[in-house]
Amino acid sequence: MSSATRDAAELATVQPLRPAERSRWRGFVLPAAAVALWWLLSSLDLVNSALLVSPAKVFDTAAEQVASGRLWRALSASLAREATGFLIGSTAGLVLGALLGLSPLFNRIVGPSFNTFKQISLFAWIPLISVWFGLGDVAKVVFLSLAALVPVVVNTCDGIRTAPAGLLEVAHVYGYTRWQTVMQVVLPAALPSIFTGVYLALIYSWLATIGAEYLLVAGRGIGNTLIEGSEHFQMDLVIFGMFVIGGVGWLMNASARALERRLARWTGHA
């Protein structure tokens, strides 16, 4: 077989991209176009270089931040706060949401107060938190816990209340106790809604981490990197910090979605 024939045969065996693969790559078109436009504008000096630095300058700053270890110190501090606040807030949210969804008496007593509490803007708590807890890590963790609390409570309560009536009737027919009904029927049926609340809490707590570090400025963190860049008019440092924040948020979102798909398969098999 000639080389031309072999090449033709190899080309014939190449499978086209599946629709899912094509849609996955389409998501990179807009970021790539934005970076290309950014590079073009900075190369042709069409914008003020002090306001919009070149991608090469941002890359150099990124390399310096990584090599010096400043990125890892700031990022580890932010992630530690985010993880602590997320765990505290989501755990309290699961307990409170379960009580609101399972106990009509508890819902009548606590429900109206919680509905009023969740209407208060998260950032409206900053002055009170700063007075009570100062500007250190404790205040930031309290702020992040509040950010994670509300979505978990709401989705847990809604998931429990919307358990299919047919399943509850079957549990009653089989003589399930209340504990068995809750553990084997209500909670498994509420899992998708509960996971949605935990997923939102993860995202909200990360966004609140940056807000807390920006408003409660004491300490180290990726939010303080943005403050340092803006105070010294280092736009390369500001843009680098924004890329880091977006990248970490994207990784959290992708990880949560992967876990959600695995959970969906597991609940389907169950």
Side-chain angles (χ1 to χ4, degrees), residues 1 7 32 41 56 66 68 93 99 133 143 145 156 167 184 186 206 235 243 262-263:
M1 182 182 296
D7 293 341
L41 291 175
V66 172
S68 64
L99 290 174
F133 301 99
F143 182 73
S145 300
T156 301
L167 293 178
Q184 300 182 30
V186 175
W206 174 242
M235 292 299 103
F243 273 116
R262 178 168 294 187
L263 177 64

PDB file of all heavy atoms in Angstrom, residues 1 7 32 41 56 66 68 93 99 133 143 145 156 167 184 186 206 235 243 262-263:
ATOM      1  N   MET A   1       0.848  -1.195   0.000  1.00  0.00           N
ATOM      2  CA  MET A   1       0.000   0.000   0.000  1.00  0.00           C
ATOM      3  C   MET A   1       0.882   1.243   0.000  1.00  0.00           C
ATOM      4  O   MET A   1       1.801   1.350   0.783  1.00  0.00           O
ATOM      5  CB  MET A   1      -0.914  -0.001   1.227  1.00  0.00           C
ATOM      6  CG  MET A   1      -1.859   1.200   1.266  1.00  0.00           C
ATOM      7  SD  MET A   1      -2.890   1.214   2.761  1.00  0.00           S
ATOM      8  CE  MET A   1      -3.818  -0.299   2.475  1.00  0.00           C
ATOM      9  N   ASP A   7      -2.398   7.291   4.074  1.00  0.00           N
ATOM     10  CA  ASP A   7      -2.863   8.558   4.630  1.00  0.00           C
ATOM     11  C   ASP A   7      -4.365   8.728   4.432  1.00  0.00           C
ATOM     12  O   ASP A   7      -5.081   9.199   5.330  1.00  0.00           O
ATOM     13  CB  ASP A   7      -2.128   9.739   3.987  1.00  0.00           C
ATOM     14  CG  ASP A   7      -0.647   9.739   4.366  1.00  0.00           C
ATOM     15  OD1 ASP A   7      -0.318   9.085   5.374  1.00  0.00           O
ATOM     16  OD2 ASP A   7       0.140  10.400   3.663  1.00  0.00           O
ATOM     17  N   ALA A  32     -11.107  33.407  24.160  1.00  0.00           N
ATOM     18  CA  ALA A  32      -9.983  33.536  23.229  1.00  0.00           C
ATOM     19  C   ALA A  32     -10.101  34.814  22.409  1.00  0.00           C
ATOM     20  O   ALA A  32      -9.105  35.520  22.174  1.00  0.00           O
ATOM     21  CB  ALA A  32      -9.924  32.319  22.313  1.00  0.00           C
ATOM     22  N   LEU A  41      -5.359  45.631  21.162  1.00  0.00           N
ATOM     23  CA  LEU A  41      -5.501  47.002  21.645  1.00  0.00           C
ATOM     24  C   LEU A  41      -4.237  47.486  22.345  1.00  0.00           C
ATOM     25  O   LEU A  41      -3.802  48.630  22.158  1.00  0.00           O
ATOM     26  CB  LEU A  41      -6.694  47.099  22.599  1.00  0.00           C
ATOM     27  CG  LEU A  41      -8.085  46.932  21.987  1.00  0.00           C
ATOM     28  CD1 LEU A  41      -9.139  46.937  23.072  1.00  0.00           C
ATOM     29  CD2 LEU A  41      -8.363  48.030  20.971  1.00  0.00           C
ATOM     30  N   ALA A  56       1.212  40.451  28.077  1.00  0.00           N
ATOM     31  CA  ALA A  56       2.578  40.040  28.422  1.00  0.00           C
ATOM     32  C   ALA A  56       2.967  40.547  29.805  1.00  0.00           C
ATOM     33  O   ALA A  56       3.606  39.829  30.591  1.00  0.00           O
ATOM     34  CB  ALA A  56       3.553  40.567  27.364  1.00  0.00           C
ATOM     35  N   VAL A  66       3.970  33.670  41.282  1.00  0.00           N
ATOM     36  CA  VAL A  66       4.120  32.226  41.501  1.00  0.00           C
ATOM     37  C   VAL A  66       5.518  31.905  42.020  1.00  0.00           C
ATOM     38  O   VAL A  66       5.689  31.148  42.987  1.00  0.00           O
ATOM     39  CB  VAL A  66       3.833  31.454  40.194  1.00  0.00           C
ATOM     40  CG1 VAL A  66       4.179  29.974  40.367  1.00  0.00           C
ATOM     41  CG2 VAL A  66       2.372  31.609  39.803  1.00  0.00           C
ATOM     42  N   SER A  68       7.689  33.783  43.577  1.00  0.00           N
ATOM     43  CA  SER A  68       7.976  34.307  44.913  1.00  0.00           C
ATOM     44  C   SER A  68       7.155  33.636  46.004  1.00  0.00           C
ATOM     45  O   SER A  68       7.431  33.812  47.188  1.00  0.00           O
ATOM     46  CB  SER A  68       7.716  35.816  44.945  1.00  0.00           C
ATOM     47  OG  SER A  68       6.340  36.095  44.729  1.00  0.00           O
ATOM     48  N   GLY A  93     -26.905  25.253  58.022  1.00  0.00           N
ATOM     49  CA  GLY A  93     -28.032  25.348  57.093  1.00  0.00           C
ATOM     50  C   GLY A  93     -28.752  24.028  56.916  1.00  0.00           C
ATOM     51  O   GLY A  93     -29.989  23.993  56.823  1.00  0.00           O
ATOM     52  N   LEU A  99     -34.977  21.032  60.127  1.00  0.00           N
ATOM     53  CA  LEU A  99     -35.956  21.311  61.179  1.00  0.00           C
ATOM     54  C   LEU A  99     -37.152  22.089  60.623  1.00  0.00           C
ATOM     55  O   LEU A  99     -38.311  21.802  60.970  1.00  0.00           O
ATOM     56  CB  LEU A  99     -35.296  22.101  62.311  1.00  0.00           C
ATOM     57  CG  LEU A  99     -34.284  21.331  63.165  1.00  0.00           C
ATOM     58  CD1 LEU A  99     -33.589  22.271  64.145  1.00  0.00           C
ATOM     59  CD2 LEU A  99     -34.966  20.191  63.912  1.00  0.00           C
ATOM     60  N   PHE A 133     -16.776  41.417  65.977  1.00  0.00           N
ATOM     61  CA  PHE A 133     -15.683  40.457  65.815  1.00  0.00           C
ATOM     62  C   PHE A 133     -14.383  41.075  65.308  1.00  0.00           C
ATOM     63  O   PHE A 133     -13.398  40.357  65.107  1.00  0.00           O
ATOM     64  CB  PHE A 133     -16.109  39.335  64.850  1.00  0.00           C
ATOM     65  CG  PHE A 133     -17.329  38.581  65.297  1.00  0.00           C
ATOM     66  CD1 PHE A 133     -18.578  38.883  64.760  1.00  0.00           C
ATOM     67  CD2 PHE A 133     -17.233  37.592  66.255  1.00  0.00           C
ATOM     68  CE1 PHE A 133     -19.713  38.189  65.170  1.00  0.00           C
ATOM     69  CE2 PHE A 133     -18.356  36.893  66.666  1.00  0.00           C
ATOM     70  CZ  PHE A 133     -19.600  37.192  66.128  1.00  0.00           C
ATOM     71  N   PHE A 143     -18.833  36.103  58.354  1.00  0.00           N
ATOM     72  CA  PHE A 143     -19.448  36.659  57.147  1.00  0.00           C
ATOM     73  C   PHE A 143     -19.662  35.564  56.100  1.00  0.00           C
ATOM     74  O   PHE A 143     -20.730  35.470  55.481  1.00  0.00           O
ATOM     75  CB  PHE A 143     -18.546  37.772  56.604  1.00  0.00           C
ATOM     76  CG  PHE A 143     -19.084  38.458  55.391  1.00  0.00           C
ATOM     77  CD1 PHE A 143     -20.156  39.343  55.491  1.00  0.00           C
ATOM     78  CD2 PHE A 143     -18.525  38.241  54.144  1.00  0.00           C
ATOM     79  CE1 PHE A 143     -20.649  39.985  54.367  1.00  0.00           C
ATOM     80  CE2 PHE A 143     -19.008  38.879  53.025  1.00  0.00           C
ATOM     81  CZ  PHE A 143     -20.080  39.757  53.129  1.00  0.00           C
ATOM     82  N   SER A 145     -19.910  32.349  56.649  1.00  0.00           N
ATOM     83  CA  SER A 145     -20.902  31.397  57.146  1.00  0.00           C
ATOM     84  C   SER A 145     -22.320  31.891  56.843  1.00  0.00           C
ATOM     85  O   SER A 145     -23.196  31.103  56.473  1.00  0.00           O
ATOM     86  CB  SER A 145     -20.734  31.187  58.647  1.00  0.00           C
ATOM     87  OG  SER A 145     -19.450  30.671  58.948  1.00  0.00           O
ATOM     88  N   THR A 156     -32.805  23.010  51.344  1.00  0.00           N
ATOM     89  CA  THR A 156     -33.073  21.827  52.163  1.00  0.00           C
ATOM     90  C   THR A 156     -34.531  21.781  52.583  1.00  0.00           C
ATOM     91  O   THR A 156     -35.193  20.736  52.482  1.00  0.00           O
ATOM     92  CB  THR A 156     -32.161  21.820  53.399  1.00  0.00           C
ATOM     93  OG1 THR A 156     -30.797  21.812  52.985  1.00  0.00           O
ATOM     94  CG2 THR A 156     -32.427  20.594  54.262  1.00  0.00           C
ATOM     95  N   LEU A 167     -44.635   8.450  47.254  1.00  0.00           N
ATOM     96  CA  LEU A 167     -43.648   7.729  48.056  1.00  0.00           C
ATOM     97  C   LEU A 167     -44.047   7.715  49.530  1.00  0.00           C
ATOM     98  O   LEU A 167     -43.867   6.711  50.230  1.00  0.00           O
ATOM     99  CB  LEU A 167     -42.274   8.361  47.889  1.00  0.00           C
ATOM    100  CG  LEU A 167     -41.625   8.253  46.497  1.00  0.00           C
ATOM    101  CD1 LEU A 167     -40.289   8.965  46.484  1.00  0.00           C
ATOM    102  CD2 LEU A 167     -41.455   6.792  46.097  1.00  0.00           C
ATOM    103  N   GLN A 184     -35.362   7.073  54.775  1.00  0.00           N
ATOM    104  CA  GLN A 184     -35.397   6.224  53.590  1.00  0.00           C
ATOM    105  C   GLN A 184     -36.247   6.774  52.454  1.00  0.00           C
ATOM    106  O   GLN A 184     -36.148   6.285  51.325  1.00  0.00           O
ATOM    107  CB  GLN A 184     -35.893   4.824  53.964  1.00  0.00           C
ATOM    108  CG  GLN A 184     -35.018   4.119  54.987  1.00  0.00           C
ATOM    109  CD  GLN A 184     -35.496   2.723  55.312  1.00  0.00           C
ATOM    110  OE1 GLN A 184     -36.090   2.049  54.468  1.00  0.00           O
ATOM    111  NE2 GLN A 184     -35.244   2.271  56.533  1.00  0.00           N
ATOM    112  N   VAL A 186     -37.884  10.581  52.590  1.00  0.00           N
ATOM    113  CA  VAL A 186     -37.874  12.041  52.458  1.00  0.00           C
ATOM    114  C   VAL A 186     -36.490  12.558  52.081  1.00  0.00           C
ATOM    115  O   VAL A 186     -36.341  13.306  51.099  1.00  0.00           O
ATOM    116  CB  VAL A 186     -38.366  12.695  53.768  1.00  0.00           C
ATOM    117  CG1 VAL A 186     -38.245  14.218  53.668  1.00  0.00           C
ATOM    118  CG2 VAL A 186     -39.803  12.303  54.054  1.00  0.00           C
ATOM    119  N   TRP A 206     -17.406  31.615  48.200  1.00  0.00           N
ATOM    120  CA  TRP A 206     -16.184  32.056  47.523  1.00  0.00           C
ATOM    121  C   TRP A 206     -16.293  33.531  47.124  1.00  0.00           C
ATOM    122  O   TRP A 206     -15.349  34.306  47.300  1.00  0.00           O
ATOM    123  CB  TRP A 206     -15.902  31.190  46.305  1.00  0.00           C
ATOM    124  CG  TRP A 206     -14.753  31.672  45.469  1.00  0.00           C
ATOM    125  CD1 TRP A 206     -14.788  32.074  44.172  1.00  0.00           C
ATOM    126  CD2 TRP A 206     -13.377  31.819  45.883  1.00  0.00           C
ATOM    127  NE1 TRP A 206     -13.538  32.458  43.749  1.00  0.00           N
ATOM    128  CE2 TRP A 206     -12.653  32.310  44.781  1.00  0.00           C
ATOM    129  CE3 TRP A 206     -12.706  31.571  47.080  1.00  0.00           C
ATOM    130  CZ2 TRP A 206     -11.289  32.565  44.842  1.00  0.00           C
ATOM    131  CZ3 TRP A 206     -11.345  31.837  47.145  1.00  0.00           C
ATOM    132  CH2 TRP A 206     -10.652  32.317  46.036  1.00  0.00           C
ATOM    133  N   MET A 235      -2.132  47.836  37.514  1.00  0.00           N
ATOM    134  CA  MET A 235      -3.244  47.177  36.864  1.00  0.00           C
ATOM    135  C   MET A 235      -2.917  45.739  36.472  1.00  0.00           C
ATOM    136  O   MET A 235      -3.809  44.906  36.363  1.00  0.00           O
ATOM    137  CB  MET A 235      -3.668  47.965  35.614  1.00  0.00           C
ATOM    138  CG  MET A 235      -4.277  49.319  35.923  1.00  0.00           C
ATOM    139  SD  MET A 235      -5.794  49.209  36.926  1.00  0.00           S
ATOM    140  CE  MET A 235      -5.171  49.678  38.548  1.00  0.00           C
ATOM    141  N   PHE A 243      -8.081  37.180  37.327  1.00  0.00           N
ATOM    142  CA  PHE A 243      -7.964  35.886  36.637  1.00  0.00           C
ATOM    143  C   PHE A 243      -7.899  34.744  37.650  1.00  0.00           C
ATOM    144  O   PHE A 243      -8.502  33.680  37.450  1.00  0.00           O
ATOM    145  CB  PHE A 243      -6.728  35.862  35.746  1.00  0.00           C
ATOM    146  CG  PHE A 243      -6.960  36.407  34.371  1.00  0.00           C
ATOM    147  CD1 PHE A 243      -6.311  37.541  33.930  1.00  0.00           C
ATOM    148  CD2 PHE A 243      -7.835  35.776  33.500  1.00  0.00           C
ATOM    149  CE1 PHE A 243      -6.524  38.052  32.663  1.00  0.00           C
ATOM    150  CE2 PHE A 243      -8.064  36.264  32.222  1.00  0.00           C
ATOM    151  CZ  PHE A 243      -7.412  37.414  31.799  1.00  0.00           C
ATOM    152  N   ARG A 262     -22.286  12.531  39.482  1.00  0.00           N
ATOM    153  CA  ARG A 262     -22.055  11.250  40.150  1.00  0.00           C
ATOM    154  C   ARG A 262     -23.149  10.964  41.170  1.00  0.00           C
ATOM    155  O   ARG A 262     -23.607   9.817  41.291  1.00  0.00           O
ATOM    156  CB  ARG A 262     -20.688  11.270  40.832  1.00  0.00           C
ATOM    157  CG  ARG A 262     -20.357  10.004  41.592  1.00  0.00           C
ATOM    158  CD  ARG A 262     -18.908   9.959  41.994  1.00  0.00           C
ATOM    159  NE  ARG A 262     -18.020   9.872  40.830  1.00  0.00           N
ATOM    160  CZ  ARG A 262     -16.711   9.689  40.911  1.00  0.00           C
ATOM    161  NH1 ARG A 262     -16.117   9.582  42.106  1.00  0.00           N
ATOM    162  NH2 ARG A 262     -15.978   9.619  39.829  1.00  0.00           N
ATOM    163  N   LEU A 263     -23.574  11.998  41.899  1.00  0.00           N
ATOM    164  CA  LEU A 263     -24.645  11.828  42.865  1.00  0.00           C
ATOM    165  C   LEU A 263     -25.946  11.443  42.166  1.00  0.00           C
ATOM    166  O   LEU A 263     -26.709  10.596  42.656  1.00  0.00           O
ATOM    167  CB  LEU A 263     -24.845  13.114  43.659  1.00  0.00           C
ATOM    168  CG  LEU A 263     -25.984  13.137  44.683  1.00  0.00           C
ATOM    169  CD1 LEU A 263     -25.712  12.117  45.785  1.00  0.00           C
ATOM    170  CD2 LEU A 263     -26.155  14.528  45.289  1.00  0.00           C
TER     171      LEU A 263
END
